[in-house]
Amino acid sequence: EEEEEEEPQDEEEHRPQPPKPKKNRNKMPKRSSQRPLFNREVSNEFRPSNWITDVIPRKSPFIPQMGDEVIYFRQGHEAYVEAVRRNNLYSLNPEKQSWRKMDLRDQEFVKITGIKYEVCPPTLCCLKLSLIDHGTGKLTDKSFSVKYHDMPDVIDFLVLRQCYEEARQRNWQPDDRFRSVIDDAWWFGTIVCQEPYQPEYPDSHFQCIKVRWDNGETEKLSPWDIESIPQTAQHPETVGGSVPVTSEEMSELMYKPQEGEWGRRIRDDESERIVLGIDQLVALDIAGPFVAPVDIVQYPSYCTVVAYPTDLNTIRMRLINRFYRLVFIF
């Protein structure tokens, strides 16, 4: 029987499917019954996905960071657990999931207060989620943990609170036109209606909007998956096609730091200050082994031991790209 999940320690560190094309991701490997010998094939099998190593901020999939305030959707978590069980990706006991241990509503307001990563494969993210009181907005002493990884065709069940609240302000009506970011491109469609994704969760906003893509396919999306179409927006040349998302448009969709979240400075200034410090640090001989990612070809066993590889250059690029949402991470 699977052991009880451990609570993550306090330490640092889906999206909707487009009508065309389908996601181009490799399926996660199944867990071996025995730990394999260290070799190149093993290093590739255990290698963390782009979801963990990416340096570019994206709207989805959601990449958790310490201090994030998010909405947890039980429906989405249940769908993830079922997908893992159905595909036998790794050992998981559905009876020991968070909603079995405590009374969780269909959506809960929580704060990420612990993160750790686990070599499986696949590499799993283990989060400690502390409940926030819906009435007072204050952190409570109650928490639960989730263990998951990004999967093709499984929608994010954690959504940034800021993104959620902005989406709730939009009042979508049948026949409204919209666009949605999928794989760094805008896809276009029309609102059909709003209805619960599952009847047992009538008040949940998770995938509560039925849409029709311009190629005629229908799908369920969540309010934070869809955006209004500006008058100046570029449109695809063919019906059912897509257009690239510009860097300016993507920046508008990303998290916007609130006053005080980066101390006395704004994020841009503080990020540049830290980048300058890293530039000075990498010039030192002692920093040599930590400047760039570990060469997996030369050290194939590395990613069978280290679940969350990072290095100074990765941190530097993330700072330049404004990947980090809160200075609390540092």
Side-chain angles (χ1 to χ4, degrees):
E1 185 178 11
E2 181 186 65
E3 295 182 358
E4 193 78 14
E5 279 187 15
E6 294 182 1
E7 287 285 324
Q9 299 296 318
D10 291 354
E11 60 181 62
E12 270 196 55
E13 356 189 340
H14 173 251
R15 55 187 163 182
Q17 181 72 20
K20 298 294 180 182
K22 297 294 183 180
K23 290 182 182 178
N24 183 22
R25 295 200 210 168
N26 294 326
K27 292 184 178 179
M28 293 296 182
K30 295 181 180 179
R31 187 177 187 176
S32 303
S33 59
Q34 294 182 345
R35 192 178 184 86
L37 297 175
F38 294 161
N39 54 46
R40 289 188 183 181
E41 292 182 2
V42 170
S43 68
N44 289 331
E45 182 185 24
F46 281 77
R47 189 190 302 252
S49 68
N50 291 338
W51 178 60
I52 291 176
T53 60
D54 206 353
V55 299
I56 305 293
R58 305 181 192 282
K59 188 173 182 182
S60 67
F62 172 69
I63 301 176
Q65 297 179 14
M66 282 289 291
D68 279 341
E69 293 186 353
V70 300
I71 310 298
Y72 162 86
F73 289 93
R74 175 174 166 176
Q75 290 167 281
H77 192 191
E78 289 176 348
Y80 166 82
V81 169
E82 173 58 24
V84 170
R85 187 200 62 78
R86 183 173 62 251
N87 294 291
N88 194 27
L89 295 181
Y90 62 89
S91 178
L92 180 150
N93 188 341
E95 297 303 316
K96 292 187 176 181
Q97 298 307 308
S98 52
W99 60 84
R100 303 287 189 186
K101 301 177 182 179
M102 60 189 302
D103 184 20
L104 291 176
R105 292 174 288 189
D106 52 359
Q107 50 194 57
E108 293 284 1
F109 182 20
V110 299
K111 184 173 184 176
I112 297 177
T113 54
I115 301 179
K116 70 176 183 179
Y117 291 86
E118 179 180 300
V119 175
C120 199
T123 300
L124 297 176
C125 178
C126 310
L127 299 179
K128 178 180 179 181
L129 303 177
S130 297
L131 291 168
I132 296 177
D133 187 275
H134 282 244
T136 65
K138 295 182 179 180
L139 202 64
T140 72
D141 59 357
K142 297 180 180 179
S143 65
F144 61 98
S145 62
V146 300
K147 182 184 295 186
Y148 77 111
H149 73 295
D150 182 45
M151 285 182 65
D153 304 320
V154 176
I155 307 300
D156 286 337
F157 59 85
L158 295 173
V159 177
L160 281 171
R161 177 188 179 186
Q162 185 181 91
C163 183
Y164 172 83
E165 292 181 343
E166 288 178 355
R168 288 289 311 280
Q169 295 175 6
R170 307 188 189 102
N171 183 23
W172 294 101
Q173 299 295 325
D175 298 324
D176 282 350
R177 294 284 292 162
F178 75 93
R179 63 180 183 173
S180 180
V181 176
I182 304 169
D183 293 335
D184 297 332
W186 288 114
W187 298 82
F188 296 77
T190 302
I191 303 296
V192 176
C193 65
Q194 295 195 39
E195 60 187 15
Y197 177 63
Q198 294 172 305
E200 55 266 40
Y201 299 106
D203 299 322
S204 174
H205 294 96
F206 183 79
Q207 293 192 280
C208 68
I209 300 180
K210 184 178 181 180
V211 305
R212 180 179 294 105
W213 297 105
D214 283 354
N215 70 348
E217 296 182 8
T218 59
E219 187 177 3
K220 285 290 192 72
L221 299 180
S222 300
W224 45 92
D225 295 326
I226 57 182
E227 304 287 339
S228 57
I229 305 175
Q231 292 183 348
T232 57
Q234 179 185 359
H235 290 265
E237 296 181 358
T238 59
V239 175
S242 64
V243 295
V245 180
T246 66
S247 57
E248 292 78 12
E249 289 172 332
M250 186 61 75
S251 179
E252 279 298 309
L253 297 174
M254 294 299 98
Y255 181 80
K256 303 168 185 64
Q258 305 301 297
E259 184 177 356
E261 288 184 338
W262 282 76
R264 292 176 295 177
R265 299 180 174 88
I266 61 174
R267 179 171 63 174
D268 287 349
D269 292 346
E270 186 69 356
S271 295
E272 292 303 321
R273 186 184 72 84
I274 300 173
V275 167
L276 289 175
I278 292 176
D279 288 342
Q280 295 175 15
L281 179 60
V282 298
L284 303 176
D285 291 340
I286 195 174
F290 310 102
V291 172
V294 170
D295 186 344
I296 302 301
V297 174
Q298 186 175 0
Y299 303 101
S301 64
Y302 180 77
C303 53
T304 68
V305 178
V306 179
Y308 188 84
T310 192
D311 57 273
L312 292 171
N313 189 56
T314 294
I315 296 172
R316 182 180 185 277
M317 292 305 301
R318 286 177 170 177
L319 285 163
I320 291 174
N321 294 324
R322 306 302 186 255
F323 178 92
Y324 298 113
R325 291 184 283 269
L326 304 171
V327 74
F328 177 72
I329 291 173
F330 296 94

